[in-house]
Amino acid sequence: MAKATITFEDINVTVTVPAGTRVIEISEKVGAGITYGCREGDCGTCIMQVTEGWNNLSEPSVLEDKILRDNYAGKHNRLACQAQVLGGKISVKPA
């Protein structure tokens, strides 16, 4: 199975993870500052900035794209609950 490294810049932690893992799952495990309100119905709270490895994440879905636009997110922002790691090297931080 393919592996990837993801760095959470806010806490300066890098971990190796299997491809297919969602960024929010990793963030929770390492204690990074990417917050989320999905379980409380507050979609869009897990917006993160991808500073490296944009192409090493899954493509945004139509729904994710809409939520990012509704929140005036920048070009390199993604929802951590939707972005899946594909491989390679990725760096993220809370938006």
Side-chain angles (χ1 to χ4, degrees):
M1 177 175 272
K3 298 267 185 188
T5 60
I6 183 164
T7 300
F8 294 90
E9 293 180 8
D10 60 320
I11 60 172
N12 198 29
V13 169
T14 301
V15 292
T16 301
V17 298
T21 307
R22 294 189 190 276
V23 174
I24 196 69
E25 297 168 13
I26 309 160
S27 175
E28 285 181 297
K29 288 181 181 173
V30 300
I34 299 172
T35 60
Y36 62 96
C38 309
R39 294 181 182 122
E40 290 81 34
D42 192 11
C43 190
T45 56
C46 67
I47 295 174
M48 64 179 179
Q49 182 180 7
V50 181
T51 58
E52 182 180 353
W54 175 263
N55 295 329
N56 293 327
L57 295 171
S58 59
E59 290 290 320
S61 67
V62 172
L63 177 61
E64 180 182 1
D65 220 27
K66 179 189 180 320
I67 292 166
L68 291 169
R69 279 193 319 272
D70 289 351
N71 284 279
Y72 304 102
K75 180 181 176 184
H76 292 287
N77 288 3
R78 291 290 307 271
L79 296 179
C81 69
Q82 297 295 306
Q84 288 183 317
V85 173
L86 300 177
K89 185 176 178 182
I90 304 159
S91 292
V92 299
K93 62 183 178 181

